[in-house]
Amino acid sequence: MLKAFSDIPRVLEERRAQSLYRERTRLDGAQQVHTLIDGRPMLSFCSNDYLGLANHRAIARRLTEAVAAHGTGAGASHLVNGHHAEHEALEDELAAFTGREAALVFSTGYMANLGVISALMGRGDTVVQDKLNHASLIDGSQLSQARLLRYRHNDPIHLEERLKQAQGKCLVVTDGVFSMDGDCAQLKAMSELCQAHGAWLMVDDAHGLGVLGDQGQGLVGQCGLNESDVPLLVGTLGKAFGTAGAFVAGRRSTIDYLLQYARSYIYTTAAPPAVAAATREALVLVEQADDTRAHLNRLIQRFRQGVGQLPFELMPSHTPIQPLLVGSVDAALHLSQGLRERGLLVTAIRPPTVPVGEARLRVTLSAGHSEADIDRLLNTLEDLA
Ligand SMILES: *Cc1c(COP(=O)(O)O)cnc(C)c1O
């Protein structure tokens, strides 16, 4: 906590002393697995570009063509005159993709979560969240002024206790794939509990859409849950889709309501229409990428088998997020630094992003990786162990 502005240098110094000071690595090349970081060639295991679409020729071409046709800026918010045909077509296509009546596109996932939760919930209501939910979901419920109850990670029994304590309208919120652990929410059990208690379920499938399920339909699609089971489905477009933005999908009336009341949708300039056009191209590629997903799954298996021979602890994840639990902050930083000196980029994740004592290397795999890339990571980890 910052007690006075004059404390800023001291607070920074303390953060450094605890090895918690955050610094940015600088990308000097394209976002892809073999790239340039701080001027050096590097093999990256950090990005959320799960399908290798962030630097895909067809998407880049569509973006530049759309810039030539529609210009660079949206020029206004959606409710003034920034709402472009490309945005609307993308919304219709995302609704069809997710099997929902309608979708609303936001500029970022952070804004989508803030807007959705704060528009639907208020004082006297209850938002129930998994302990490990993404920060944007927690911030959204704080903004709404509803009471926030949290349940133990992925624990439907504790969730049910919370549901019994809820007052007012109740919204249960969860990540689909948990962003720091890579495991999946037990959506089927959760949706049954929500229906039994008259609560709505909101799933943020930022790391599942495009990655899991046939045609990349995500965890919600893979679990076969419709819009009665999951009335609010959030997806982000800056991860597997390789562009930027996010959306919420659900019933037409829900989306119409959010269009009226979600402040992070209303009071901001619309994303450039060319970005929406590029995302439409990405959506086609995502749906056609079953072979790419099969390749990615083979890499995940190969990595997990390889780590099984090493003195590192894997987490129960079958997604491209494959954290290695290290424990102490210093050990995690040391390992990350050792990998980096050998040309491999893997970020150390530290508190407060993860609980104290659970510092980890967050390895994320991408379809852009080859089997040789995975073997290089495994061999280097073995050298460092
Ligand atoms: C990345 C992420 C977000 C934020 O999305 P942005 O488009 O990057 O703002 C929201 N929720 C989850 C679970 C995420 O992983």
Side-chain angles (χ1 to χ4, degrees):
M1 248 286 279
L2 187 64
K3 292 215 178 68
F5 298 127
S6 56
D7 283 345
I8 289 175
R10 182 184 54 76
V11 168
L12 289 176
E13 212 35 64
E14 278 173 16
R15 202 159 167 88
R16 242 186 248 280
Q18 297 168 314
S19 305
L20 295 180
Y21 195 81
R22 291 154 187 258
E23 278 167 296
R24 301 173 296 185
T25 51
R26 193 190 65 227
L27 197 57
D28 291 318
Q31 178 58 268
Q32 55 192 22
V33 299
H34 288 276
T35 188
L36 282 178
I37 306 274
D38 292 332
R40 278 185 57 203
M42 200 72 77
L43 173 57
S44 155
F45 291 92
C46 296
S47 86
N48 304 313
D49 179 26
Y50 300 119
L51 299 179
L53 296 184
N55 186 28
H56 189 285
R57 288 301 91 201
I59 300 172
R61 196 180 319 117
R62 182 81 171 262
L63 181 82
T64 49
E65 284 169 5
V67 166
H70 310 310
T72 50
S77 65
H78 284 279
L79 294 181
V80 178
N81 77 342
H83 185 62
H84 193 276
E86 294 284 3
H87 297 122
E88 199 156 301
L90 175 60
E91 289 178 342
D92 292 345
E93 289 160 11
L94 287 168
F97 171 63
T98 54
R100 266 60 186 162
E101 283 176 8
L104 190 67
V105 169
F106 287 73
S107 296
T108 72
Y110 189 93
M111 291 169 69
N113 287 334
L114 237 52
V116 170
I117 301 175
S118 66
L120 288 164
M121 306 304 282
R123 230 184 271 279
D125 291 333
T126 309
V127 180
V128 183
Q129 301 218 23
D130 189 290
K131 272 257 186 228
L132 296 190
N133 274 355
H134 192 264
S136 57
L137 297 167
I138 304 299
D139 293 359
S141 53
Q142 266 157 3
L143 185 63
S144 78
Q145 303 193 325
R147 181 160 166 235
L148 173 62
L149 297 176
R150 303 182 80 176
Y151 57 93
R152 282 189 293 276
H153 175 53
N154 233 344
D155 183 345
I157 295 171
H158 198 206
L159 167 60
E160 185 163 28
E161 279 175 40
R162 293 308 202 193
L163 281 164
K164 288 178 184 156
Q165 295 166 346
Q167 290 167 332
K169 298 198 298 301
C170 179
L171 181 67
V172 174
V173 182
T174 187
D175 283 24
V177 175
F178 286 89
S179 51
M180 292 300 139
D181 289 45
D183 57 342
C184 294
Q186 299 176 48
L187 293 185
K188 206 150 174 78
M190 293 180 68
S191 79
E192 283 162 15
L193 282 172
C194 286
Q195 292 186 16
H197 290 265
W200 268 20
L201 179 59
M202 169 173 174
V203 178
D204 174 354
D205 208 9
H207 298 273
L209 279 163
V211 178
L212 302 178
D214 293 338
Q215 287 107 51
Q217 293 216 323
L219 186 66
V220 172
Q222 196 176 42
C223 295
L225 299 174
N226 63 28
E227 60 198 349
S228 307
D229 306 314
V230 178
L232 295 161
L233 170 57
V234 170
T236 65
L237 304 168
K239 289 168 180 158
F241 288 78
T243 58
F247 68 93
V248 56
R251 289 227 174 79
R252 169 68 62 190
S253 56
T254 309
I255 299 306
D256 287 346
Y257 177 89
L258 292 172
L259 174 56
Q260 303 300 315
Y261 292 106
R263 294 168 66 87
S264 63
Y265 180 80
I266 299 165
Y267 298 106
T268 192
T269 300
V275 173
T279 306
R280 294 178 65 197
E281 184 73 32
L283 179 56
V284 173
L285 294 171
V286 163
E287 288 183 280
Q288 294 172 345
D290 283 346
D291 290 347
T292 309
R293 280 180 285 272
H295 168 66
L296 181 55
N297 282 323
R298 282 192 298 274
L299 298 180
I300 294 167
Q301 294 314 319
R302 192 179 186 91
F303 178 72
R304 289 185 67 86
Q305 266 167 15
V307 172
Q309 321 297 315
L310 304 176
F312 297 109
E313 195 184 331
L314 279 168
M315 299 188 65
S317 159
H318 63 274
T319 68
I321 302 170
Q322 290 292 331
L324 297 181
L325 202 50
V326 177
S328 82
V329 168
D330 287 328
L333 286 177
H334 185 254
L335 210 49
S336 173
Q337 190 54 37
L339 287 165
R340 197 168 166 148
E341 283 158 12
R342 291 160 180 79
L344 298 169
L345 191 72
V346 184
T347 35
I349 306 284
R350 298 167 273 177
T353 309
V354 292
V356 173
E358 294 186 21
R360 62 197 66 176
L361 285 183
R362 182 169 178 271
V363 173
T364 58
L365 302 180
S366 164
H369 288 122
S370 64
E371 300 197 339
D373 293 332
I374 304 301
D375 293 347
R376 186 172 155 206
L377 173 60
L378 288 166
N379 292 334
T380 312
L381 283 169
E382 186 173 8
D383 291 345
L384 291 168

